[in-house]
Amino acid sequence: MRGLLVLSALLGVVLGKEDFVGHQVLRIFAADEPEVQKVTELEDLEHLQLDFWRGPAQPGSPIDVRVPFPSIQAVKVFLEAHGIKYTIMIEDLQSLLDEEQEQMFAFQARAASTDTFNYATYHNLDEIYGFMDMLVAENPQLVSKLHIGNTYEGRPIYVLKFSTGGNNRPAIWIDTGIHSREWVTQASGIWFAKKITQDYGQDPAFTAILNNMDIFLEIVTNPDGFAFTHSTNRLWRKTRSISAGSACVGVDPNRNWDAGFGMAGASKNPCSETYHGKFANSESEVKSIVDFVKNHGNIKAFISIHSYSQLLLYPYGYKSEPTADQAELDQLAKSTVTALASLYGTKFKYGSIITTIYRASGGTIDWTYNQGIKYSYTFELRDTGRYGFLLPASQIIPTAQETWLGLQTIMEHTLKHLY
């Protein structure tokens, strides 16, 4: 195993993968508003090259930040000087990345069918697209693959359509992986796709959903970013578009929608992880979905899946006023997290984006809600920070299983309350 580790380190150097040796993830506890402001000051110090996994929000909410090795001392001194408490969540990030790579290497095998496909490991883009083709070939009466656009770098953007017939029926949309480093989401999306084909005709409640509605599932919503997480930088979040006049690459695709675009809750700095882009829908990955949703015109639930934090969120993120459907969305969120917790006891908090985490503008579900899609939700899957974006592959299937119970709750409610 030691030899494998050395090999993976050597391969990393040869293949030009970004190295995270000595990087730590700190959890910061800002007790009051002045302390939150102090941490926000840290965020603005570009030379430290901090990567906020959970950004500064309201007092009492944990803040998680990846600190590069050269900046560790400076950040700790800053926090201690201002009496701000912190703990080390991840001691050495590279050791977790090495474990992840070893696991993927050990289970690397081309599956001959979706029955022998390994759902308990992480897969690259080619493997996921191969899985989609197999699933379509095995279930031609139920599953088709739609090509809804191309990425900035020219990769195809695919959506799986699950349908038992009919024309432009009411539909449910699910997307995973809009932030490319959130690997458990794409892995869960693969599992959901297989689960749909297994449960149709077997599970009466789910069969009723698919007999009356279509499901659209976009497993890799940010293909360029996802490919980059495999080739170069495992922790890449954004798209890979080039910004004129900046050396920094990419836009946050969850700040690029036309809902409070460019307001507080996103950054105008192209080097920021929350850079909103030059204009709304500037990213083809976002524009492809916008065009699809508008052309379809009959999507009734829209669910965008992220990690991590164990949250179920509904609009709004860009403003504090509640939606017209606040009471129903909140009640359904409560039922959904209850169903999700019933399997493994995984606890989710729920509420509107702005009250539960922080102000965020230009977000997916604010736009879909404003388009008239009442049941617009965002999940933040496991965990609460022990591994963050580097959730061990052993947790993929349990995460997908419990999330599916939540998704089914939303889908059943949507079917019973069509509007």
Side-chain angles (χ1 to χ4, degrees), residues 33-105:
E33 199 52 54
E35 290 193 359
V36 171
Q37 286 310 310
K38 278 289 164 207
V39 178
T40 306
E41 284 175 31
L42 265 184
E43 200 172 14
D44 295 334
L45 297 176
E46 279 182 33
H47 67 280
L48 294 175
Q49 295 192 296
L50 303 182
D51 172 17
F52 279 83
W53 288 14
R54 288 172 67 160
Q58 56 260 59
S61 283
I63 300 162
D64 295 345
V65 60
R66 174 177 63 82
V67 185
F69 180 69
S71 302
I72 286 174
Q73 218 41 47
V75 170
K76 289 179 179 175
V77 166
F78 178 93
L79 294 171
E80 287 160 14
H82 293 97
I84 300 170
K85 293 189 172 66
Y86 68 88
T87 57
I88 299 168
M89 292 292 279
I90 299 174
E91 187 78 46
D92 178 28
L93 203 57
Q94 189 62 44
S95 61
L96 280 188
L97 291 169
D98 289 340
E99 284 172 30
E100 186 176 74
Q101 283 302 307
E102 278 176 34
Q103 199 275 345
M104 285 176 73
F105 188 72

Side-chain angles (χ1 to χ4, degrees), residues 156-204:
I157 301 170
Y158 292 130
V159 173
L160 290 177
K161 179 183 182 182
F162 300 86
S163 180
T164 54
N167 204 14
N168 208 53
R169 294 200 301 187
I172 290 151
W173 171 282
I174 301 166
D175 65 62
T176 54
I178 194 168
H179 286 148
S180 43
R181 64 187 176 186
E182 298 168 5
W183 279 14
V184 74
T185 70
Q186 298 97 335
S188 294
I190 298 167
W191 190 92
F192 299 154
K194 179 63 173 173
K195 179 72 169 165
I196 291 169
T197 63
Q198 289 172 323
D199 279 9
Y200 180 70
Q202 299 296 317
D203 177 304

Side-chain angles (χ1 to χ4, degrees), residues 132 135-145 159-164 193 196-197:
M132 290 164 70
L135 194 74
V136 171
E138 291 165 9
N139 304 275
Q141 74 298 341
L142 186 67
V143 193
S144 56
K145 184 178 81 172
V159 173
L160 290 177
K161 179 183 182 182
F162 300 86
S163 180
T164 54
I196 291 169
T197 63

Side-chain angles (χ1 to χ4, degrees), residues 17 21 26 34 63 74 80 84 87 92 108 141 143 148 160 171 183 209 228 253 281 307 356 387 394 419:
K17 279 199 176 178
V21 171
L26 304 184
I63 300 162
E80 287 160 14
I84 300 170
T87 57
D92 178 28
Q108 208 172 23
Q141 74 298 341
V143 193
I148 66 163
L160 290 177
W183 279 14
I209 292 166
F228 197 72
N281 306 331
S307 74
T356 309
Y387 296 101
S394 57
Y419 54 92

